[in-house]
Amino acid sequence: MSGAPNNHSVTASQTAGDSPAALSAARRVLVAATLAFLFLAAFASSAGLRAAMLLFATAAIAVNWRDAFAQLRDQLPRGVGAAFLAWCLLATISLAWSVDPAQTRAEIKAEIVYGAMTFAVFFIAASDPARWRAWWIALVAGTVAVILVQLVQDALPFMIARHAMDGGPGPYSTHLVLVAPILFALASPQPWGRAHGAWPLAIAFALLGAAAWFTGNRIVWIAFAAQLLTGALASRWLPRNAAPGSRQFARAIALATLAIAVAFAASLIERGERNYPGQPSVTSTLERDLRPRIWSVAWEKFREAPWLGHGFGREVLADTFIPLTPASDNHPQMRHAHNIFMDIALQLGIPGLAIFVALLAALAREYALLLRAPALAPIGIMGLALIAGFVVKNQTDDFLHRHNALVFWALNAMLLGLARAPGGTAIPGEASPRPAPSASE
């Protein structure tokens, strides 16, 4: 696997024996399935529909599987591909020593198989840059739809569904963090953005902050701040003439930061008045936080199996953490270590943690390299902000799980694929498209 250009793609090539009608139908199914998948991504209760869309997209790609395989082999950056493959392999073979084989087996299917399918589907489908606009609009539209459904639910005297559509404050606030970098497209230059200017981005982040406020989650604000800071720093690293409207983009980031700061301040006031009337809310929150105790128990369990871990699965040691759940206040069960790196170390030991960190580093390096190419800089900025927000958000919990994990893999695959799409990497002033830089260069 490398960053070398490839003129073959499932969307633009035709192998011997493939009829034009079959390829055209497969393309339509691929577009429809990926759009539906992204729209449904925010609905935590749509697991069956998401899986169906993923299977439809995979079947559409299989119509031209030779070119699809060639695209993965030739265009996926070596560092990302090697780390992702090692991650999947180690998680799978951990079934041999898992303390809960049934849990590990179920998680391999839900997280590894579906995660790998999602990554492959969106990397291959991104060979057509024209899909980008519809994709990010579908993702944002689904996010807004969940908010509206939840508002309707709150106004009704009966339940629309058995479970919350958004999955709860933690998962939905994580989804908002995943979506946030895509909003940069509002102020980014075309073809990756709409070049609408600073105010639309600021307004979008203000609405994002309002949605985060209703979740009651705290670290979401730090994650937003990390993403905005990453976007601001990345835009400053660009050469002066690297991206049209870079000064306007920086102004948009500043306004978005102000919008998030105001929303954060309002949420702190509201939370303090609601939960801790007459008390210093910060002190009360820290005193009641269970994480230090959870992390202490997690450290002891890690010391029992530092090299192999206890087997893949976020909740493979659930019986260890459940007793830490408070007996009152309807507190949700504590079933894992509530830190993504601790959870991975518990599951797969030091090797697993090293592989996962290497995977994140490989992704970040690819996005940083994109800043060198003027036409690809917006993709690099969005990718770096995505990694920064996801890492920060998962310091007090672990949301590399179910729909949030699939969105994380889909967005990374999509951005990497778009950066290498034929016709999508042309730099103004050059006669032909330029392949994106890769870890092999």
Side-chain angles (χ1 to χ4, degrees):
M1 289 174 284
S2 72
N6 177 20
N7 293 324
H8 303 288
S9 75
V10 73
T11 62
S13 66
Q14 181 176 332
T15 58
D18 290 329
S19 70
L23 291 174
S24 178
R27 284 193 291 268
R28 290 195 295 270
V29 170
L30 180 60
V31 171
T34 52
L35 285 173
F37 177 92
L38 291 172
F39 179 83
L40 293 167
F43 291 84
S45 57
S46 66
L49 287 173
R50 286 195 309 273
M53 294 304 105
L54 194 56
L55 291 173
F56 281 135
T58 303
I61 287 173
V63 171
N64 201 9
W65 66 269
R66 293 182 183 87
D67 283 354
F69 177 77
Q71 187 178 341
L72 282 172
R73 180 193 64 207
D74 298 337
Q75 292 203 23
L76 187 63
R78 285 195 183 97
V80 174
F84 190 83
L85 182 60
W87 168 255
C88 293
L89 287 175
L90 182 60
T92 302
I93 65 175
S94 74
L95 182 62
W97 61 80
S98 174
V99 298
D100 188 345
Q103 170 75 9
T104 296
R105 195 176 295 111
E107 292 303 295
I108 288 172
K109 175 186 175 182
E111 302 298 338
I112 299 302
V113 175
Y114 284 142
M117 286 173 62
T118 301
F119 194 90
V121 161
F122 278 92
F123 184 83
I124 293 166
S127 58
D128 185 353
R131 294 170 181 161
W132 163 242
R133 181 185 179 189
W135 275 345
W136 72 260
I137 290 176
L139 185 61
V140 173
T143 303
V144 173
V146 167
I147 298 172
L148 296 177
V149 169
Q150 204 61 44
L151 289 174
V152 171
Q153 174 65 86
D154 293 343
L156 293 176
F158 57 88
M159 294 293 293
I160 299 176
R162 182 180 300 179
H163 304 289
M165 292 283 187
D166 59 5
Y172 189 64
S173 60
T174 301
H175 180 78
L176 295 177
V177 170
L178 294 173
V179 171
I182 307 304
L183 298 181
F184 290 163
L186 293 171
S188 298
Q190 296 182 352
W192 312 117
R194 306 304 299 159
H196 286 321
W199 282 107
L201 180 61
I203 293 171
F205 263 92
L207 295 174
L208 194 75
W213 179 4
F214 285 110
T215 69
N217 191 267
R218 290 164 291 173
I219 199 170
V220 66
W221 304 107
I222 303 175
F224 284 152
Q227 291 177 312
L228 290 168
L229 178 61
T230 299
L233 291 175
S235 65
R236 285 184 173 274
W237 289 341
L238 300 174
R240 196 157 198 171
N241 60 346
S246 57
R247 185 177 301 177
Q248 191 171 1
F249 181 80
R251 189 182 305 119
I253 290 288
L255 286 172
T257 302
L258 178 61
I260 287 295
V262 171
F264 178 42
S267 73
L268 287 181
I269 295 172
E270 189 272 342
R271 183 183 179 89
E273 292 177 347
R274 183 184 73 243
N275 294 346
Y276 311 110
Q279 302 180 46
S281 59
V282 174
T283 302
S284 299
T285 300
L286 292 176
E287 289 175 352
R288 289 170 169 80
D289 202 320
L290 295 172
R291 286 177 180 82
R293 188 179 174 194
I294 294 172
W295 293 336
S296 176
V297 171
W299 172 248
E300 294 303 319
K301 296 300 292 184
F302 167 73
R303 292 175 61 185
E304 293 178 9
W307 293 106
L308 290 180
H310 298 271
F312 184 70
R314 187 183 72 163
E315 298 177 4
V316 74
L317 294 175
D319 290 344
T320 299
F321 295 104
I322 288 175
L324 303 178
T325 304
S328 58
D329 299 331
N330 296 317
H331 200 288
Q333 279 189 339
M334 302 288 101
R335 303 182 64 86
H336 56 90
H338 281 71
N339 175 282
I340 190 170
F341 298 112
M342 284 189 178
D343 271 339
I344 289 172
L346 285 173
Q347 296 170 64
L348 302 175
I350 293 173
L353 181 59
I355 290 171
F356 185 70
V357 170
L359 176 55
L360 294 179
L363 288 168
R365 183 173 187 270
E366 288 298 317
Y367 295 135
L369 289 172
L370 295 181
L371 300 180
R372 300 177 183 177
L376 299 175
I379 296 179
I381 292 173
M382 284 186 275
L384 288 170
L386 173 65
I387 298 297
F390 186 77
V391 169
V392 171
K393 182 66 169 65
N394 283 283
Q395 292 310 293
T396 57
D397 213 323
D398 179 1
F399 293 108
L400 189 67
H401 189 252
R402 298 303 187 264
H403 61 299
N404 282 321
L406 295 183
V407 173
F408 179 71
W409 297 129
L411 288 174
N412 279 291
M414 185 190 307
L415 294 174
L416 290 176
L418 289 168
R420 285 155 181 81
T425 59
I427 299 174
E430 291 191 0
S432 60
R434 173 186 183 274
S438 74
S440 62
E441 294 180 355

